Amino acid sequence: SDAELARARNQIEASFVFDRDSIPAQADLLGRYAVRGNWRYPEKYLPLIRKVTAADVQRVARKYLTPDTRTVGHYVPIPPAAASPASAAKAGPASRARRHRRSRAAGPRPGGATATAGPGVRAAKTTRTVLPNGLTVIVRENHANPTVSLAGSILSAGDAADPPGKPGVASLTADMLERGTRNRTSKQIAETLEEVGASLDVSAGSEYLSFGGRSLTKDFGRLIDVLADELRRPAFPADQLNKLRAEALSGLEQEAEDPSARAMRAFHGAVFPPDHPYWSPTVDAERDFIRRLKREDLIAFHGTHYGPNTMILVIVGDVDTPATIERIRQNFGDWARKEGLAVPIIPPTRRQSRPARIVIPIPDKSQVDIVYGYAGGQRRNAPDFYATQVLNWILGGGTFGSRLMTDLRDKQGLVYGAYSSVAANLGEGPFLVSLGTNPANADRAVSEVRRHIARLRTQGVTEEEVARAKSYIIGSYPRELATNAGMAGELLEAQIFGLGLDYPARQGALYRAVTREQVNAAAKRYLEPQGGTLVLAGPYPGAASGAAGTQPGKPQEGSK
């Protein structure tokens, strides 16, 4: 139909333009067509797309979409008893892990009105405006490509605001926003965005609600209209809530068979108390709550915790600042300020005094997933944040050059991957190490992790390691800012954490100032090789015999 053809053209145009949203993407585009013989072809692509007719599409469909050229694959599950031990031993890490409650948040601090970029960051005009109802708007102009990205948050609407005894209300409320408003059905929301290739996503983290979206410049008004409709006027239709409930329960059933997700959930459930925003309930407890969830719970949460005075909206791209602020004012300016809204206060959690061990038997899996760590880490605004990030990079911060990956994976072949993280948030996030290994190597891998943590704590790091870590962190940061979406996300965090609008320009200097002595001091303060919580999920050999006095799924204080 004509409508389908128009929608397809718009989506192709948007996708093509978004592909030029960064310098690396433009280089890739030119390189691809240079190899094909005409690096100027991208200039002709969209005009040719616009010439395609419905008859052209039908002609091509008749030519290529024929039964005799199709290939059909069938997936046939193999019973567990027939699984090959050899193939299980070679299998890689689990490919799916449930998104756990987390958020990189901190209390907002009023920033300056404008900021300019320093070395390595493109100079651009950035402004910060606070509307009379308290909504903070940050706009950064970038006219290199006709696209716009937005990022934002409502600081009072995260999981930290869940009512007592109702874990997950904030997340489910956020998930329902795109499923219908007083003005649009879920289908109409999807069609409004998809027909112009725009996108919008809203979700609740452990500390605050987050949202992000993008569109072509010409369609930015449509994107803002939908965002305002979802945040301000959700309808919470009963039929959509039933669908969401079914999807959530299905997701929990899948998670119950995922060692990585089970290990991470058990870890957060053990190291944080039940009234803490970072705590995770058991799969059974969350399943029970979802079944009892009522539509009135979501309506009440939205009415209590959504408002403009804890909202931040960042817009980056090919926009005019005054016109953009006026557009935001038209969509959000009459949203009444809601008294009582506040940034959540995340209580500190003491590091446990004795070690704990949790074993979760999940048979018929190819690996054991392991998490070791503890609460009582650091907040994002801690003075030694940057030194701790350098320390984490050296230990196992997600790169193949870290100590854990170099030794446990490359030299010893014990693990498929080993990573460490220090979650510095509005509250004190946990320190943890996660890894996946052959069941026969699980105990040895744990011992090696403890050895590396102990060695770092007692012997410290080298000057070469500090220099390499700083070089990587500083050098990779501009890539995060290469797109409008990346810059919007960084400016949002800068506002939430009170870092100032010029943080993207200052980030390099903050890391360059880190010394070896500061990193070693952070190691002594934050690393604990023995006293944390250890979780092993999967076909762990000791689970069946209750090795080390463990009980499946329950922390064992003082066990080795």
Side-chain angles (χ1 to χ4, degrees), residues 473-487:
I473 294 171
I474 295 170
S476 61
Y477 186 64
R479 293 179 61 87
E480 298 182 26
L481 309 179
T483 64
N484 289 333
M487 178 60 78

Side-chain angles (χ1 to χ4, degrees), residues 101 159 162-163 166-174 289 293 297-298 301:
R101 299 179 181 184
D159 293 341
D162 279 343
K166 297 182 178 181
V169 168
S171 293
L172 293 168
T173 300
F289 168 70
L293 176 71
D297 294 326
L298 308 183
F301 185 89

Side-chain angles (χ1 to χ4, degrees), residues 261-282:
R262 289 284 299 278
M264 197 65 71
R265 178 186 282 269
F267 172 80
H268 283 84
V271 302
F272 293 104
D275 59 347
H276 198 283
Y278 302 159
W279 174 78
S280 291
T282 65

Side-chain angles (χ1 to χ4, degrees), residues 205-274:
S206 58
E207 296 175 346
Y208 55 77
L209 178 90
S210 297
F211 52 86
R214 70 178 189 177
S215 73
L216 298 182
T217 301
K218 63 185 180 65
D219 302 313
F220 178 63
R222 180 185 297 224
L223 180 64
I224 288 294
D225 286 344
V226 174
L227 175 66
D229 208 20
E230 289 188 6
L231 294 181
R232 299 184 59 184
R233 295 174 285 272
F236 300 108
D239 61 330
Q240 290 294 325
L241 176 58
N242 290 334
K243 291 180 181 179
L244 176 61
R245 194 195 317 273
E247 292 167 9
L249 292 173
S250 176
L252 287 174
E253 292 299 323
Q254 296 179 44
E255 184 184 338
E257 296 300 317
D258 185 336
S260 176
R262 289 284 299 278
M264 197 65 71
R265 178 186 282 269
F267 172 80
H268 283 84
V271 302
F272 293 104

